[in-house]
Amino acid sequence: MRLTFALIALLGLSACETVKGAGKDLESAGSTISREADRVQDTF
C-alpha cells in the first residue's frame, strides 16, 4: 500500500518540471477550490 502511494506521488511530482511548476499547480488548484466554494455559497 505504501509503495503504491509512493509511486503515485512520485509520478505526480515528476509531472511538474520544477518546484516553481509544482507551486503554480497547487496555486491553481487552490484558486479553483476557492472559486467553486464561492459559487456554491452564492447559490444558497
Side-chain angles (χ1 to χ4, degrees), residues 4-44:
T4 302
F5 177 74
L7 289 173
I8 290 170
L10 182 60
L11 288 173
L13 290 175
S14 68
C16 299
E17 292 182 11
T18 64
V19 173
K20 184 177 178 182
K24 286 184 179 183
D25 290 345
L26 290 172
E27 182 181 7
S28 175
S31 294
T32 300
I33 291 169
S34 181
R35 262 194 325 273
E36 288 301 311
D38 289 341
R39 185 181 65 81
V40 169
Q41 285 181 343
D42 288 343
T43 61
F44 289 105

